[in-house]
Amino acid sequence: MAENFSKVEFIKSAPSVDLAPGEKKKEVILLGRSNVGKSSLLNALTNQKIAFSSKKAGKTLYLNYFLIDKRFYLVDSPGYGYTAYGSKLDTSFSEMMEGYFRSDRKGIALLLVDSRRGAGEEEHSLIELAKKEDMPIVVVYTKADTLGQKEKALREKEAALLRNNGVECLYSYKDKRSVNELRGLISRLLTTI
């Protein structure tokens, strides 16, 4: 059954996966650098304002669990990279993610990558961590509508390499079609875990 992402209920914020909701359901965790567009994508997927964008990077500090259609959790994670809180937050993010990926919670990872800069060392580390723990991972290139021809060609080359490594890749534009495509992919992947 395909999810329609219309029934959304905030469940809790958890500083670690050990304090995640007790009722285990499948999960879709959003990962990405600070200011990559996680909040915007969460809002677009659910077609409502459930996450708040901030001009100041690093505002999300916990794993935020939203129950979608009473079937699965959409999990907003803290951003990594530059934040107002500095490297201390990156250390806690690393520990949080290692704990998350090693937990027995079943899920899918959506790794958001700013299409203007591409996947760097941190993104490749997260991809390897997810693959090591047998968690499906999808790279979602955000801000794709801002790309010039040269940047598009670079991202296509990068996406082709990732696909050859077993990673699904999508481009996120500010349109309903790309959001629906991502919803469909999430629904399909949820049936495989």
Side-chain angles (χ1 to χ4, degrees):
M1 178 172 121
E3 285 72 16
N4 61 22
F5 292 76
S6 63
K7 293 184 183 120
V8 181
E9 181 184 353
F10 173 74
I11 301 300
K12 74 181 298 188
S13 288
S16 74
V17 73
D18 299 333
L19 298 171
E23 183 182 8
K24 287 189 182 174
K25 294 186 176 290
K26 293 177 182 179
E27 298 181 3
V28 177
I29 187 166
L30 275 78
L31 307 165
R33 262 178 200 286
S34 296
N35 286 344
V36 74
K38 288 192 309 294
S39 296
S40 298
L41 188 61
L42 273 167
N43 294 338
L45 282 171
T46 60
N47 203 27
Q48 51 193 287
K49 196 159 181 95
I50 63 170
F52 296 95
S53 302
S54 173
K55 291 190 191 313
K56 199 171 190 179
K59 287 290 189 180
T60 303
L61 299 176
Y62 299 124
L63 297 168
N64 294 311
Y65 286 82
F66 298 90
L67 182 60
I68 307 297
D69 298 332
K70 298 200 179 290
R71 295 174 48 84
F72 69 98
Y73 294 115
L74 201 49
V75 185
D76 185 17
S77 72
Y80 56 87
Y82 171 77
T83 68
Y85 306 101
S87 61
K88 188 170 130 183
L89 188 59
D90 279 343
T91 302
S92 65
F93 173 81
S94 296
E95 291 168 0
M96 181 186 288
M97 287 304 101
E98 285 175 17
Y100 185 88
F101 283 113
R102 291 194 175 106
S103 74
D104 62 351
R105 301 182 81 85
K106 292 187 177 230
I108 302 160
L110 298 183
L111 176 59
L112 279 62
V113 173
D114 187 328
S115 55
R116 298 168 300 182
R117 64 186 309 273
E121 188 179 326
E122 292 98 338
E123 288 81 11
H124 286 287
S125 294
L126 283 167
I127 290 168
E128 290 310 310
L129 183 57
K131 290 180 77 173
K132 183 179 171 188
E133 301 301 328
D134 293 323
M135 179 181 276
I137 187 160
V138 177
V139 169
V140 179
Y141 286 101
T142 62
K143 306 172 186 178
D145 39 352
T146 65
L147 293 182
Q149 290 300 320
K150 186 177 177 183
E151 292 167 312
K152 276 183 188 173
L154 287 171
R155 290 302 77 80
E156 269 306 314
K157 194 181 236 183
E158 181 178 277
L161 289 171
L162 289 170
R163 286 183 187 111
N164 286 340
N165 200 16
V167 177
E168 299 227 28
C169 299
L170 286 178
Y171 290 89
S172 176
Y173 298 93
K174 290 182 179 173
D175 65 6
K176 286 187 178 184
R177 199 182 99 230
S178 67
V179 172
N180 286 334
E181 186 179 355
L182 182 55
R183 282 187 193 124
L185 179 58
I186 290 169
S187 294
R188 183 171 58 77
L189 287 173
L190 285 171
T191 66
T192 67
I193 56 171

